[in-house]
Amino acid sequence: MATNNLEKNINTEIAESKSAQNKKGFKARFEKAAASITKATGSSTAFLIAVAVIIVWGLTGPVFHYSDTWQLVINTGTTIITFLMVFIIQQSQNKDSLAIQLKLNELIACEERASNRLIDVEDLTQEELETLKKFYIQLSELAEKENDLFSSHSVDEATGRHKHKLSLRKKPMPVNNGNGDKK
């Protein structure tokens, strides 16, 4: 029942978000423009246009006697374009990054053996991420020791399972003395 309520809440939130986007506010228009510009500027056609502009600029050098103004035109133009593209590309990158995080969160949430504590891992500090990385290095080392491609462990269980396995190895094994008695 709680899952159904959660799904209804998520679906309601998404529907409200979509209707808010239809209002054509600045944010919605910027997001659409950024997506279009990012797609267009990432194309081979855009690259060829940029190369053509540079070639034309270079060829006009003798006409303008390689003046300071001639150099200033290309410097100013490229600086302005670069400045604006930083914001457009960053907006697109933020959206893509969020989408990837949500997809990974869904995979973590649906896998019963995965640690749900990793769902908001992107909100951790660099130091916390480095600490978490050490646990995954331990997992890797444990899996390597087991020499089994199909073994799987979560961060939460890695140390506990490893200690349990070590404790089993340290217990003396009963020895059979040959007449059926165990010592």
Side-chain angles (χ1 to χ4, degrees):
M1 186 79 173
T3 304
N4 286 341
N5 288 336
L6 180 61
E7 287 176 11
K8 285 179 185 177
N9 290 340
I10 291 171
N11 290 332
T12 303
E13 290 280 336
I14 290 172
E16 289 173 2
S17 176
K18 283 183 179 180
S19 67
Q21 284 179 349
N22 292 336
K23 294 180 182 177
K24 302 289 182 191
F26 174 76
K27 188 175 180 179
R29 287 192 309 256
F30 177 72
E31 187 174 325
K32 277 186 171 181
S36 298
I37 292 169
T38 302
K39 186 175 181 180
T41 57
S43 69
S44 56
T45 303
F47 175 77
L48 292 175
I49 290 170
V51 169
V53 167
I54 299 299
I55 290 172
V56 168
W57 172 78
L59 292 174
T60 61
V63 174
F64 293 103
H65 307 291
Y66 301 101
S67 68
D68 289 343
T69 304
W70 173 78
Q71 291 180 17
L72 190 60
V73 166
I74 196 72
N75 288 342
T76 304
T78 56
T79 300
I80 290 170
I81 290 170
T82 302
F83 178 75
L84 295 175
M85 285 303 294
V86 165
F87 297 103
I88 290 171
I89 292 170
Q90 187 61 51
Q91 193 281 335
S92 294
Q93 185 66 38
N94 289 347
K95 182 180 175 185
D96 289 347
S97 179
L98 181 58
I100 289 170
Q101 285 301 323
L102 291 172
K103 289 175 183 180
L104 291 173
N105 289 349
E106 175 64 14
L107 292 174
I108 292 169
C110 75
E111 173 55 46
E112 65 186 36
R113 293 172 294 175
S115 173
N116 286 341
R117 294 187 316 161
L118 295 179
I119 288 177
D120 65 348
V121 73
E122 65 273 8
D123 296 331
L124 298 178
T125 65
Q126 183 69 29
E127 185 176 313
E128 291 168 330
L129 289 172
E130 292 295 331
T131 301
L132 191 56
K133 180 181 174 185
K134 290 177 186 175
F135 284 106
Y136 278 104
I137 290 171
Q138 285 180 333
L139 277 176
S140 173
E141 290 169 354
L142 290 174
E144 194 173 310
K145 286 178 186 175
E146 289 181 13
N147 203 18
D148 181 6
L149 288 175
F150 301 105
S151 290
S152 179
H153 303 288
S154 72
V155 171
D156 295 328
E157 67 181 336
T159 305
R161 282 192 177 185
H162 186 64
K163 286 179 181 175
H164 177 71
K165 288 178 183 178
L166 286 176
S167 71
L168 292 176
R169 290 179 191 155
K170 291 180 182 177
K171 288 183 180 177
M173 296 295 291
V175 179
N176 191 338
N177 63 5
N179 62 6
D181 295 336
K182 293 183 181 178
K183 290 186 179 181

